[in-house]
Amino acid sequence: MKPAPFEYVAPGSLEEALAVLGEHGDDAKILAGGQSLVPMMNFRLAQPSMLVDCNRLANLDFVRVSEEGELRIGAMTRQRRLERDPLVARHAPLLHGTVPYVAHPQIRNRGTVGGSLAHADPASELPVVALTRGFRLRLHRSGSDRWVTAEDFFVGLLETALEPEEMLTEIAIPPLPSRTGWAFVEMARRHGDYAQVGVAVLVTLGEQGICQDAKLVYLSVGETPMAAPRAAELLIGSSLGEEDFAAAAAMAATHEIDPGADIHATENYKRHLAQVLTVRALRQARERAVVADS
Amino acid sequence: MNESDPRSITVVTTVNGERVERQVESRLLLSDFLRHELGLTGTHVGCEHGVCGACTVLFDGEPVRSCLTFAVQAQDHEISTVESLAPGPEKLHPIQQAFWEKHGLQCGFCTGGILMTMLPFLEENPEPTEDDVRHALSGNLCRCTGYQHIVDAVLHAAAMMRSDGGHG
Ligand SMILES: Cc1cc2nc3c(=O)[nH]c(=O)nc-3n(C[C@H](O)[C@H](O)[C@H](O)COP(=O)(O)OP(=O)(O)OC[C@H]3O[C@@H](n4cnc5c(N)ncnc54)[C@H](O)[C@@H]3O)c2cc1C
Ligand code: FES
Ligand code: FES
């Protein structure tokens, strides 16, 4: 199908874009990579009366390290750039390692970092990474801006803390703590498809290989990216042995995720998958943490 | 269309090396612009929501879905379609020649999109393994071939392009 008619503007500066959003509010939609919005418009699931094309905001396309050592990424940075940029590989290895699971190169060439986060699809990889790594997100409106944490940003199914007149402009990723291993694993029917279940994990080693900190976040098993803090608690203080992994995986898969059935999988299958993938992810993360330690 | 309609916009872009200027509706998809405004019907439209890859074209040299881009967004950018590949009516680009020789197509519906995906892939990875090729093909659907002959054709194209110094 074809999109319904709309008015189109392509502002050359952030101020102009924010002014249009301020004036039109809910009737206007930001067009970033268009890789989620345009399919919805083609199906007429979305019929915005005005599109604010932000692809000319070249100064929102950047990757740099701030003085505090945070990695800063502009919202209009293409997803494809994240897998090619050496700064991302060095400072945000979980993000770098996860981006290739987002759709296909043809989609990532257009799709943006900001668009993926703002779209807040619980089946998407980047929101999971944002929650796992504690991203901070910068939201601008005409005349002011605010920072929110990833935890406060994702509020529901395709729903974020963004107000209609706001734009996500930048994300900040804290440095990875030392002796920390990461992993992302997912199961999709074909490479590049939305996954049935996926999980990102971090483990930090302390003295004598004892786990000091852990984080597990799942995709496609709830209305938002789903964190599993109780599973993480089981890991903290443990020596990250196989029994510890099994206990944490069972806790997360049984009590902390909320997968519905879909045409490809029953709820039980998804819980089973979550359990298996969690153990795989934890093994990888432990290995990386040990390497980071030596 | 009414000239003063805010939804009607002049777009100036470069398609296959030629500058084109048209008055279009803002909602016109790039895929429809190429096919209906410019008559470049080698760009096919299968699903119109980004899944099949038949509409893949190069946008500033990178493969993208033309069904997920509006024509007005091509303003000041360069588009290349499958029509740009063959150097002349009697000669094929090596990647086309390879598809011909290895039976990389049956009905041909998916082929334009596959060529426009594989060309930049091979330029970036001149010596791919079979696994690399399958991975790179995962964003394109083919209902006919079962993919094996496409994989063979891409590997053959890689070899031909290497011995050609990478140029068509
Ligand atoms: C075939 C296909 C497969 C896909 N598979 C996956 C997958 O496996 N995993 C995955 O994660 N994604 C997948 N995607 C989605 C893709 O990653 C999109 O690029 C992404 O979800 C949206 O980013 P975008 O830049 O294209 O945003 P757009 O589509 O332009 O925008 C999406 C929404 O966010 C809003 N928005 C965009 N940018 C901002 C901003 N800076 N501030 C505020 N609001 C904003 C828009 O108004 C719109 O409502 C797939 C897409 C397709 C077509
Ligand atoms: S028609 Fe564009 S991807 Fe199918
Ligand atoms: S050759 Fe028919 S779809 Fe690929």
Side-chain angles (χ1 to χ4, degrees):
Chain A
M1 269 172 51
K2 311 293 176 191
F6 55 83
E7 206 174 316
Y8 171 88
V9 287
S13 72
L14 178 60
E15 292 67 36
E16 262 179 80
L18 296 172
V20 179
L21 288 174
E23 194 181 325
H24 294 265
D26 248 347
D27 297 332
K29 272 239 168 253
I30 291 173
L31 175 62
Q35 304 300 292
S36 292
L37 183 56
V38 180
M40 292 197 300
M41 292 176 68
N42 287 354
F43 283 128
R44 301 216 176 175
L45 294 171
Q47 302 196 13
S49 56
M50 165 163 288
L51 274 196
V52 186
D53 182 353
C54 290
N55 285 281
R56 296 207 188 145
L57 307 184
N59 54 358
L60 291 185
D61 175 3
F62 63 83
V63 175
R64 58 183 165 76
V65 179
S66 73
E67 278 170 21
E68 307 82 56
E70 282 178 321
L71 188 70
R72 297 288 186 92
I73 303 179
M76 288 302 298
T77 307
R78 306 285 169 196
Q79 294 155 7
R80 187 81 165 139
R81 179 166 170 194
L82 301 182
E83 60 194 280
R84 292 173 163 169
D85 196 302
L87 278 182
V88 179
R90 183 149 11 107
H91 293 268
L94 174 64
L95 177 63
H96 182 256
T98 304
V99 170
Y101 292 94
V102 178
H104 312 285
Q106 301 100 309
I107 310 283
R108 299 197 294 274
N109 278 333
R110 295 293 294 168
T112 64
V113 177
S116 179
L117 296 171
H119 191 53
D121 187 330
S124 278
E125 287 81 3
L126 298 191
V128 163
V129 175
L131 209 56
T132 312
R133 286 285 275 110
F135 286 15
R136 294 186 306 126
L137 300 93
R138 189 176 194 182
L139 316 184
H140 266 91
R141 71 174 70 211
S142 229
S144 68
D145 70 296
R146 60 183 177 128
W147 285 92
V148 298
T149 62
E151 258 168 40
D152 292 335
F153 185 73
F154 298 107
V155 301
L157 184 67
L158 307 180
E159 204 188 330
T160 68
L162 278 162
E163 300 289 341
E165 64 278 10
E166 281 181 319
M167 176 174 182
L168 168 60
T169 50
E170 177 176 0
I171 60 174
I173 310 176
L176 196 65
S178 54
R179 298 190 305 269
T180 298
W182 58 274
F184 177 82
V185 243
E186 71 171 34
M187 183 68 83
R189 296 178 73 239
R190 282 184 316 163
H191 181 85
D193 284 7
Y194 282 106
Q196 289 174 306
V197 177
V199 59
V201 306
L202 290 181
V203 294
T204 303
L205 294 179
E207 300 296 304
Q208 271 100 44
I210 297 299
C211 176
Q212 214 172 39
D213 201 5
K215 190 115 204 197
L216 303 89
V217 183
Y218 293 80
L219 62 77
S220 283
V221 293
E223 300 218 318
T224 57
M226 302 286 277
R230 288 161 70 194
E233 259 169 48
L234 291 178
L235 294 168
I236 296 170
S238 83
S239 56
L240 297 181
E242 285 295 314
E243 341 55 83
D244 305 314
F245 289 171
M251 171 63 84
T254 324
H255 299 295
E256 298 194 273
I257 60 174
D258 184 19
D262 59 36
I263 55 167
H264 300 303
T266 61
E267 178 179 336
N268 273 345
Y269 175 75
K270 285 196 177 194
R271 288 194 193 274
H272 170 74
L273 202 53
Q275 197 160 343
V276 172
L277 297 181
T278 302
V279 172
R280 283 187 199 162
L282 286 169
R283 284 185 191 137
Q284 271 186 34
R286 175 184 56 196
E287 249 167 60
R288 288 188 173 120
V290 171
V291 171
D293 194 20
S294 55
Chain B
M1 202 177 353
N2 181 347
E3 291 275 318
S4 66
D5 186 337
R7 297 173 305 199
S8 157
I9 294 172
T10 305
V11 57
V12 184
T13 179
T14 304
V15 178
N16 297 338
E18 276 178 40
R19 180 182 180 278
V20 296
E21 178 172 343
R22 289 286 191 287
Q23 186 82 15
V24 299
E25 244 191 302
S26 51
R27 63 170 168 160
L28 184 70
L29 298 170
L30 179 59
S31 42
D32 289 335
F33 177 74
L34 295 169
R35 292 176 57 83
H36 303 156
E37 289 286 330
L38 306 183
L40 296 170
T41 53
T43 300
H44 291 170
V45 174
C47 67
E48 224 159 50
H49 62 281
V51 173
C52 75
C55 68
T56 303
V57 300
L58 302 187
F59 192 101
D60 295 337
E62 302 269 25
V64 306
R65 308 296 207 214
S66 60
C67 73
L68 298 186
T69 309
F70 294 108
V72 289
Q73 296 187 277
Q75 176 73 34
D76 302 328
H77 290 283
E78 286 189 22
I79 310 298
S80 306
T81 69
V82 68
E83 285 88 350
S84 69
L85 293 185
E90 298 300 322
K91 198 167 164 14
L92 294 175
H93 185 281
I95 193 169
Q96 292 171 312
Q97 186 68 36
F99 270 66
W100 172 276
E101 287 174 16
K102 295 288 177 186
H103 304 285
L105 62 150
Q106 287 178 24
C107 78
F109 194 86
C110 66
T111 313
I114 289 188
L115 295 178
M116 299 317 278
T117 303
M118 288 300 117
L119 190 64
F121 165 74
L122 290 179
E123 280 165 357
E124 209 175 321
N125 307 276
E127 291 183 62
T129 63
E130 173 170 344
D131 213 44
D132 296 338
V133 171
R134 288 188 182 275
H135 197 90
L137 271 173
S138 65
N140 294 76
L141 294 180
C142 174
R143 301 301 300 272
C144 305
T145 62
Y147 301 99
Q148 185 57 48
H149 288 182
I150 298 180
V151 173
D152 296 345
V154 174
L155 289 169
H156 186 50
M160 286 168 74
M161 287 167 68
R162 284 198 300 273
S163 63
D164 248 27
H167 298 288

